[in-house]
Amino acid sequence: MDKPCTLLVHFDKGSAAMANEIKADLEGSDVAAKVEAMKRAVMLLLNGETLPTLFITVVRYVLPSEDHTIQKLLLLYLEIIDKRDAAGRVLPEMILICQNLRNNLQHPNEYIRGVTLRFLCRLSEPEVLEPLVPSILENLEHRHHFIRRHALSAISAIYRLPHGDQLIPDAPELVERALASEQDASARRNAFLMLCLCGQERAVAYLFSNAERVTEWPDLLQMAAVDLIRKVCRSPNRADKGRYIKIIISLLSSPSTAVVYECAGALVSLSSAPTAVRAAANTYCQLLSSQSDNNVRLILLDRLNELRTAHRDVMVDVVMDVLRALSSPNLDVKRKVLDLVLDLLTPRNVEEVVLYLKKEVVKTQSGELEKGGEYRQMLVQAIHACAVEYPEVAGSVVHLLMDFLGDTNVAAAVDVVLFVREIIETNPKLRVSMIQRLSDTFYQIRASRVCSIALWILGEYSLSLSEVESAITTIKQCLGDLPLFTLSEEGETTDSSKPTQPMVNSVTVSSRRPVVLADGTYATQSAATEAISTPPVTAGSLASTLNLRSLILSGDFFLAAVVACTLTKLVLRLEEVQPSKAEANKACTGALLVMTSILQLGLSSYLPQLIDNDSYDRIVLCVRLLCNTGDDVRKIWLQSCRQSFAKMLAEKQFRETEEMKAKSQISHAQPDDLIDFYHLKSRRGMSQLELEDEVQDDLKAATGGFSKETDDANRLNRILQLTGFSDPVYAEAFVTVHHYDIVLDVTVINRTKETLQNLCLELATMGDLKLVDRPQNYTLAPESSKQIRANIKVSSTETGVIFGNIVYETSNVMERSVVVLNDIHIDIMDYISPATCADVTFRNMWAEFEWENKVAVNTVIQDEKEFLNHVIKSTNMKCLTPPSALDGECGFLAANLYAKSVFGEDALVNISIEKQVDGKLSGYIRIRSKTQGIALSLGDKITLKQKGGS
C-alpha cells in the first residue's frame, strides 16, 4: 500500500538490499555507511516493504547519533513506518522514541530542534505528542527565529488534530502573545495563519488593530492577511466589509507584485462597485506592463478578460493600457491582447484603437520583429473586425493595408484582400479611391488566391468609364503581350532562365521546346514575354510586373478562368458606360484575344498538364457571352453577383448578432427575493465605495445576478452508482470535470453491523488519466458513511475509464474482502466546447490535419436537418455552415462542424448525407484532428449516438 510521505524517490526493488545487510550497516560505526543504510531503508519502505525487525536496530544504533544527516533520515523513517496496530492503537515501541524527540527539542543545536519541530507537524498520534507539549511550548521563546517559526507551525498542527484542543487548550492565546512580540517575518506569518485557522476572531482583531500599519508588514504576512479577508467575507454576515476593502485598497501600493495581484483579485471578489473594479483593472494593467514573464502576462490577461465579462463598462476605460502589452514579443500574448481589445470597442475609443493598430502595422514593415508576418496578419484581422463594426474608421487604414496585398506571407495578404472586399461593399464612399489604389498596386500581388479576389473586386466595383478602362489596362499589362506562346519553324531554343538581349525599346524573355506538328515536321514551341521599356530590364523585374502571366504559365487555369470572367464583366459594363461603340468593340476584341490565348495554352502540350474541364467550360462561356449578350444574362453578370455578396455579408452580420445575444445570459429574480433600496438605508459612516457597492448589490438582486448558475438536476445526473444495493459496502460517486482535473467525491456506506477496518478505495485508470494521490485507509463504524475524494489529472482529449475496488477487513474474517466497482467512463463531451472559426481557417486545418476517422451514417432518422441537429447536440459542436445554405429540400446536405478542447485541440467534422429512394439517409461523417485521441473518441461518440438514441 502506498503511504503519504514528503519524500518521493524512485527505487528499483530488484536491486534492493536485504534487511540483514541494512541492519549490519546500521550497527556499525561508519557514519557514511549508516547514511546509505537509512536511505535504502526509507526507499524499501516507500516501495511497500515492511522491514518489521529494523525498528529496534534503529532505536539502539541510530537514535543516539549526533550526525545531522542521520537525524534527518531518522525523522523521515519515523514518518513512514506504521505507528498503529490493526486495532488502531499506538504501537508500544513508539514510546521509545518520545524521550529522543524530547531531547531533540531541548538540543543545543538549532537545526536539530527545528527539523524535529517540523517533523511533529506530521504526527497525528496524541499518545506520542502529549509528553512533548511542554518542550514545544518552551521553544516559543527561543532566541533563534528558525526554532520559533517551526514551534508555531507545530502548535498549529497539533491544535488542529481531532482532540488537539485538549493537548494545548490555550494555544490561540499563546500564539497571539507570541505574534504581538515577534519580529521575524516567517514566524509572524505562521502565527497569523494559526490564528486564522484556529481563532479567526483573534486574527481579525489583530488585523483591525494594525490596519494603519498593514502596508509596512512583510509580504508574507500581507498575503496571509488577504487570505483571511477572503475567508471572512465569504460568510453571510459581512458587517465590516467596508473596513476590509479599505485594507485591500491600501495593500495595492505594496512593493510585492504577488501581494498586489492577490489584492486585485480579492477586491473584485469582495466588491462590484465601479471604483473597486477600476482599481483592480488598473492594477492588472500595471502588472501587465511591468512583468516580462509571458506566463504571468497570459494569466493577467485572463483576469482582465474575466473583468470584461462582468464589468465591461469599467474595462472600456483601460483599453489603451491593455494595448501597451502588444510590445511583448510573444505571439500568444499579442493574440490575447487583440481579442480582449476587440471586445472592448466603443464609438469613443475605436479611433484611438485603430490608430494604435495602424502604428503597429507600420512597425512590422521594418523586418526587425520576429514572426512579423504572423503578427501583421493578426493586426490586419483586428483592424478588419474594427472596420466591420465601425465602418467610419475604415478610411483611415484601408489604403495603408492595401500596400500589403503583395505580402510574402500569403495568409496576411489574403486577410487584407478579404478586408478590402468587405469594406468596398459596406463603405460606398471609399469605393472610388479603393478601386484606384487596387489598380495601382495590383502588379505587386504574388499569390494566386489574392489575385482571384482582387480581380473579382475590379470586375464588380469598377463602375465609371475611367475605372473600367483602368482595370482592363491593368489586367492586360499584367498579362503581357499575346499570344502566351508561339510556334516557329526554327529549331532554335533559348534557356528561359536567361533573358535575351533586348532591342532598343523592348525586352523579350522566351522559353522554347521542340514539338512534332500534325504533318510530322519539327517545330519549336515557345512561351514569350515581351514588355515595352526604354531602359534594359532584367528577367526578375519582368516577373515582378507580369504576375498574372507567370501564374498562368505555371499552370494555374483557375486564375485564368477568373481573368476571363473579370474581363467579361468589365467589357459588359464598358458597353453601358462607353458612348463610342468602336471603343467598346475594341475592348471586346482584346478580351476575346486573351481568352483564346488562354485556351490555346491550356490545350497545347507546352505545359505538363492540360486545362481542367471546369476552367475550360467557364472560359468558353465567357467567349460565347461576349459574342452574343442578352439583357437577362447581362443583368446576372453585372448585378446578381454583387447582390449575393451583400446578402452574404448581411447574413453574416445577423448571425454574429444572434450569437452575441445567445452569449449574454439573462437572469431573472424570483418573485419573493429580497431587494434592499439603498436610498432608504442609513448612510451614516459609509464610504463612497460602500455606497456604490450597495447599488451594485441591489441591481444584481433585482436582475437575478445572485441566482445559481448550476442546475441541481444536472448535478444529480453526474452521480454514478459504483456498487450494488446488496453489497456489504455501498458506494456512489459524484464526478466533477474541471478542465485538466477530474474530482471523484465517493460516498462509502457501511451497511453491515460490524466495524470495517483498513477500508481503502483502490482506483486505476485507462487512457490519458493519472491518479494524483491514492486515498488512505479508513475505519468505518456499523451503518456509518465516509466521504472519500480522489483527484485525477487529464492530459489529452481522449475517452478514459476509471475502475477499481473497495478493500476492507473485519474482525471476524482474517482475509481481506473485496467489492468490485462499476467502471466510470469519462466522456469526451466534458472536454470540448463549441467554437467558431473562419471558413479559410477551417479549410486550412482540414488540409493540414493528418488524423481522420470516417464514420458511415447508420440512423433511423429520415430527415436530413433533424439528423444534423441530432449530431450537433450529441457532439457539443458548432455548425459553421450558415442556415441559408441549409434551407430548401433537395435530398442532399453537407455541413461543417467545429469545436475546441480545453487543451487547445481543434476538432473538425464534415457531414455529407443523401436521402435514398426508400427514405433512409446514407453518407459519411468525417472527423479530422491533429491528434489521434480526439478523432477516435469523437467517432465512437457519434457511432453511439447517431441512431437517435439519447
Side-chain angles (χ1 to χ4, degrees), residues 216-288:
E216 302 172 3
W217 285 3
D219 54 352
L220 293 175
L221 196 55
Q222 289 177 346
M223 293 283 283
V226 175
D227 291 337
L228 171 65
I229 292 173
R230 274 183 171 154
K231 184 185 298 184
V232 171
C233 289
R234 288 195 192 104
S235 59
N237 185 14
R238 301 184 297 173
D240 295 321
K241 190 175 77 168
R243 300 176 67 183
Y244 293 123
I245 292 176
K246 290 178 182 177
I247 295 175
I248 292 289
I249 292 179
S250 66
L251 287 176
L252 287 177
S253 59
S254 172
S256 171
T257 54
V259 173
V260 171
Y261 173 79
E262 292 295 332
C263 287
L267 189 59
V268 175
S269 63
L270 294 181
S271 173
S272 57
T275 304
V277 176
R278 191 174 295 108
N282 290 330
T283 301
Y284 285 141
C285 290
Q286 291 172 5
L287 293 174
L288 190 62

Side-chain angles (χ1 to χ4, degrees), residues 49 69 79 99 111-112 125 133 140 171 283 356 431 441 484 671 752:
E49 301 292 338
T69 304
E79 182 181 348
Q99 183 61 38
Y111 177 79
I112 296 296
E125 288 73 26
V133 168
L140 277 179
T283 301
Y356 194 97
R431 184 191 62 80
T441 58
L484 296 174
T752 66

